[in-house]
Amino acid sequence: MVKVRKAGEKDLENVVELVVRLKRLNSEFDPLLKVRDDVYVQVKNWVSGYLNNKGKLLLVAESDDGRIIGALVSEVRERLFYEPRMEGVIMDFYIMPEFRRRGIGKMMMDEAIKMLREMGAHVISAEFPAQNQISVAFYRKYGFRPMMNVYVKET
Amino acid sequence: MSSSGEDRTKKWYDTSIKVAKEYGGKISVMPKVPVKGLRDFSIYYTPGVAGVSLEIAKNPNLSFELTWRWNAIAVLTDGTRVLGLGNVGPEAALPVMEGKALIFKYLGGVDAVPLPIRVKSKEEFIAVAKAIEPSFGGINLEDIESPKCFYLLDTLRKELNIPVWHDDQQGTAGAILAGLFNALKITGKSISDVKIVLFGAGASNIAAARILHAAGANYKNMILIDSKGPLHAEREDMDKLMLNNPWKYDLALKTNKERSKTVEEAMKGADVLISASTPGPNVIKKDWIKAMNKDAIVFALANPVPEIWPWEAKEAGARVVATGRSDFPNQINNSLIFPSVFRGALDVRARGISDEVIVAVAKEIAKYAEERGITEDYIIPTMEEWEVYPRAAAAAAVEIVKEGLARVTTTYNEELERARSIIAKSRASMEKLMKEGLIKELPAELMR
């Protein structure tokens, strides 16, 4: 059985590994998401800030044999102009290939939504590359819809 | 390749160009009805032929009985990966498809139409294949780049009601399996137990993994190796593969249970090595073969030079060695497979050719060699053993019927006889034309 729980210090290396994989996956969808050479260090510094932080939520999925096989990075943000005022944002969400299509994604998302609500969020959003059809299908399946567009162009 | 090898290749190139020019290509359409006067065209053409049309309009399946469709296939390509030449385009693919059509006719009695097409996308390719379906009893896909070839084969196998075949995948995999069956008999090993390393993860080895599985091999005991090393579920480029080559991704998930991360680890204790990668020698190291199990089986299939010379593989401890070359023992050659598979498939008006058909054909070819007495140097028949083609055709036909993929039924012996007679007739007509001088001898000065 796979367990979903909050990440601790000892999980950091494993979580960084998974988040870097996700950043590399993002690169496949848009040339403006090409990862930097120092992506590993950047991710490590960034993810460290999500451990033991009140407004942040870092979840991991752990397999029977104790491997970290999934990670979800999220936080609660205040919406300055809109109701509801607090929004839980899922920023990074990755599951190792061999553990996909087993409902682990849903388990992690359900847990994240539950905890983000406990942290005050009344709306949940997810950020991912526009061309990632797998994510589009995943979130649509669980009742999400597109709200804001982010358009880019190089200068 | 050595410089003498290059010289030899250059000589073949020159000869082929001169011959192509001399004969104006390699094949033509040959009538099969007697024409004694123009009156006969009232039968073959209008008004008589309208009756045939009306019959077929009522029942389109009659096109298999009342036209050449029962024996006609398209050799279809977009010219994106012609031989080892790469994307040379459809026109440049035509002489190759003509050559393939000639082999189909000579070894299988199949009327094959070379059909390179100019298409911009895989969707357009699918649309063309669907559009030509009514004219043919089968489609042989040829020389299409990977991974597009997987998508095309999978999609067309599902969506067409005639057999669709891609020789670089199924033909080669079938020939590998035929050789492997006998190599395993010689070494007293069982396909369900052996550890198999597939070196190279292109069209043929990806298909080989699937066909080996259909034949009883365990995915967990297979390891595929590409230019980045062994495939496994945790490899860094897995997501990239998921998006760009789902076939390879799928195998990365299923294979390599032991999670070998280097070629050396993968080779350790392997029973079988099937290499379909880049021309050698020295692509496969002797040390790798030394690390294999006792009585190792090594197939080094790159052309023109195998990944390791057969004698080197043997020095390193291999017991059975096969290559893709006719001048060494044990040539793993898809020409043993495709003419017969289509002969059998066409004769039962097949709707498709499943992986199990390929396994059945490989078994039959292996059995044929076994009946003649297999040794380390004879695990697979040579192309000159004519009887193997009708035998393989009969095995294909019977398996297609068994799986409910045939429009008409047959028995092994019936198909054996039919295939023998069709193939013999095809060869006899060519011999007759040559004897009569209607097909001229190759100019002697070109053959020096």
Side-chain angles (χ1 to χ4, degrees):
Chain A
M1 252 323 264
V2 170
K3 275 195 318 238
V4 176
R5 59 169 173 80
K6 275 178 136 173
E9 288 291 346
K10 64 178 190 325
D11 302 315
L12 185 62
E13 284 301 325
N14 292 316
V15 172
V16 170
E17 169 82 15
L18 297 190
V19 174
V20 169
R21 277 178 180 256
L22 179 71
K23 300 299 180 196
R24 291 195 201 283
L25 171 58
N26 288 346
S27 299
E28 296 294 318
F29 297 108
D30 199 301
L32 284 176
L33 293 171
K34 183 179 184 308
V35 293
R36 292 163 42 155
D37 292 342
D38 59 350
V39 62
Y40 192 88
V41 178
Q42 288 294 109
V43 166
K44 192 167 178 180
N45 290 338
W46 179 69
V47 166
S48 305
Y50 281 70
L51 291 166
N52 311 315
N53 187 328
K54 208 161 65 63
K56 320 275 188 190
L57 177 68
L58 186 52
L59 287 182
V60 291
E62 186 180 335
S63 69
D64 311 341
D65 54 355
R67 277 192 294 159
I68 301 302
I69 52 94
L72 185 150
V73 187
S74 62
E75 67 188 9
V76 176
R77 292 181 197 159
E78 187 179 358
R79 305 172 85 221
L80 291 177
F81 318 111
Y82 308 112
E83 298 284 356
R85 293 187 185 190
M86 301 302 270
E87 174 176 349
V89 185
I90 299 171
M91 287 168 294
D92 285 314
F93 190 178
Y94 188 87
I95 293 170
M96 286 294 281
E98 59 189 312
F99 291 89
R100 291 174 194 164
R101 294 162 173 256
R102 297 188 191 180
I104 297 167
K106 183 177 187 319
M107 251 168 81
M108 292 187 79
M109 194 176 61
D110 288 348
E111 186 65 14
I113 292 174
K114 191 178 124 220
M115 293 183 128
L116 289 166
R117 277 178 70 132
E118 285 168 13
M119 290 158 75
H122 289 281
V123 53
I124 304 289
S125 63
E127 296 172 349
F128 55 85
Q131 301 303 322
N132 186 343
Q133 295 304 324
I134 301 166
S135 293
V136 170
F138 177 82
Y139 286 108
R140 279 202 181 273
K141 189 170 149 196
Y142 294 112
F144 289 69
R145 64 174 187 274
M147 185 177 71
M148 300 289 277
N149 284 324
V150 179
Y151 274 61
V152 290
K153 95 182 189 111
E154 274 180 278
T155 55
Chain B
M1 218 192 310
S2 69
S3 68
S4 79
E6 278 164 30
D7 290 349
R8 219 169 42 206
T9 307
K10 177 78 172 51
K11 193 168 166 280
W12 281 118
Y13 284 11
D14 290 343
T15 307
S16 284
I17 293 166
K18 286 179 191 144
V19 168
K21 191 154 189 217
E22 173 76 24
Y23 290 84
K26 293 181 275 286
I27 56 164
S28 66
V29 171
M30 178 65 69
K32 54 186 171 190
V33 291
V35 181
K36 293 217 161 148
L38 293 180
R39 269 187 52 155
D40 293 343
F41 288 107
S42 309
I43 305 170
Y44 305 134
Y45 202 53
T46 175
V49 72
V52 182
S53 281
L54 287 170
E55 284 301 301
I56 298 174
K58 277 185 267 174
N59 176 8
N61 267 340
L62 283 177
S63 60
F64 287 96
E65 311 303 324
L66 303 180
T67 74
W68 83 329
R69 187 180 182 188
W70 69 274
N71 198 42
I73 66 164
V75 181
L76 191 62
T77 184
D78 59 2
T80 51
R81 206 218 65 154
V82 178
L83 310 172
L85 308 174
N87 190 347
V88 292
E91 288 87 352
L94 189 50
V96 186
M97 303 309 120
E98 271 191 302
K100 187 88 177 191
L102 182 63
I103 301 177
F104 263 117
K105 186 71 180 178
Y106 191 66
L107 297 179
V110 174
D111 291 315
V113 178
L115 208 55
I117 56 174
R118 185 180 293 118
V119 287
K120 287 188 188 67
S121 66
K122 51 187 196 287
E123 291 76 17
E124 205 183 330
F125 193 114
I126 297 285
V128 172
K130 284 184 177 176
I132 64 170
E133 182 182 14
S135 292
F136 296 103
I139 293 177
N140 176 85
L141 303 173
E142 196 74 25
D143 287 359
I144 298 163
E145 66 197 354
S146 160
K148 180 164 56 177
C149 62
F150 302 120
Y151 169 82
L152 292 178
L153 181 65
D154 286 2
T155 308
L156 291 172
R157 273 175 113 183
K158 254 181 257 142
E159 297 191 7
L160 295 196
N161 268 310
I162 53 174
V164 180
W165 174 269
H166 182 217
D167 218 34
D168 295 328
Q169 297 179 60
Q170 297 143 296
T172 309
I176 288 169
L177 186 61
L180 185 61
F181 277 136
N182 282 340
L184 290 169
K185 283 174 206 155
I186 285 171
T187 53
K189 295 181 183 187
S190 150
I191 193 161
S192 52
D193 301 332
V194 286
K195 175 176 167 183
I196 304 172
V197 173
L198 295 144
F199 192 87
S204 70
N205 265 355
I206 285 186
R210 200 183 69 231
I211 303 293
L212 289 169
H213 176 252
N218 199 327
Y219 277 128
K220 291 177 176 164
N221 299 338
M222 294 183 210
I223 300 177
L224 270 105
I225 298 176
D226 69 6
S227 55
K228 297 198 180 80
L231 285 169
H232 60 86
E234 291 165 279
R235 219 169 75 161
E236 210 180 75
D237 60 347
M238 277 298 275
D239 291 309
K240 197 176 181 140
L241 289 177
M242 173 181 73
L243 297 170
N244 302 318
N245 192 335
W247 299 270
K248 206 160 148 180
Y249 172 81
D250 190 47
L251 286 172
L253 289 175
K254 287 180 188 158
T255 59
N256 196 356
K257 189 66 179 170
E258 63 183 42
R259 290 289 153 87
S260 288
K261 305 258 164 69
T262 63
V263 178
E264 287 75 13
E265 281 169 45
M267 294 299 297
K268 199 159 179 268
D271 301 286
V272 179
L273 168 64
I274 294 163
S275 180
S277 58
T278 48
N282 307 324
V283 171
I284 299 289
K285 299 197 177 97
K286 278 174 96 169
D287 282 348
W288 297 348
I289 291 175
K290 281 183 192 148
M292 290 177 73
N293 253 346
K294 194 171 173 294
D295 291 335
I297 297 165
V298 174
F299 289 7
L301 304 178
N303 275 328
V305 180
E307 292 89 337
I308 181 167
W309 292 115
W311 52 89
E312 288 185 336
K314 292 224 163 173
E315 280 162 21
R319 169 115 181 252
V320 183
V321 181
T323 69
R325 275 171 54 153
S326 56
D327 50 348
F328 298 139
N330 300 330
Q331 186 192 17
I332 303 298
N333 184 348
N334 49 9
S335 295
L336 289 172
I337 306 280
F338 69 81
S340 336
V341 166
F342 269 99
R343 180 71 276 135
L346 290 166
D347 287 339
V348 295
R349 321 287 185 258
R351 290 192 184 83
I353 297 168
S354 66
D355 289 349
E356 287 66 30
V357 174
I358 302 169
V359 175
V361 167
K363 269 193 185 140
E364 182 74 8
I365 292 172
K367 200 171 136 210
Y368 175 89
E370 198 182 9
E371 288 162 10
R372 261 137 209 87
I374 48 173
T375 68
E376 278 86 347
D377 285 341
Y378 180 74
I379 55 169
I380 189 162
T382 68
M383 273 181 78
E384 285 80 38
E385 292 178 75
W386 304 118
E387 182 61 9
V388 75
Y389 302 99
R391 289 270 304 258
V398 166
E399 183 65 25
I400 291 167
V401 169
K402 194 177 129 197
E403 286 180 41
L405 290 168
R407 288 183 175 84
V408 299
T409 188
T410 194
T411 62
Y412 181 91
N413 285 328
E414 191 182 45
E415 175 56 21
L416 186 65
E417 276 316 307
R418 181 168 39 222
R420 264 187 199 142
S421 120
I422 292 174
I423 298 169
K425 190 176 161 192
S426 169
R427 221 170 284 153
S429 6
M430 277 182 74
E431 273 157 25
K432 188 91 179 163
L433 288 168
M434 289 188 280
K435 211 170 156 192
E436 297 292 326
L438 292 166
I439 297 178
K440 284 181 299 173
E441 295 277 337
L442 282 167
E445 69 272 18
L446 289 181
M447 296 313 291
R448 272 197 300 249

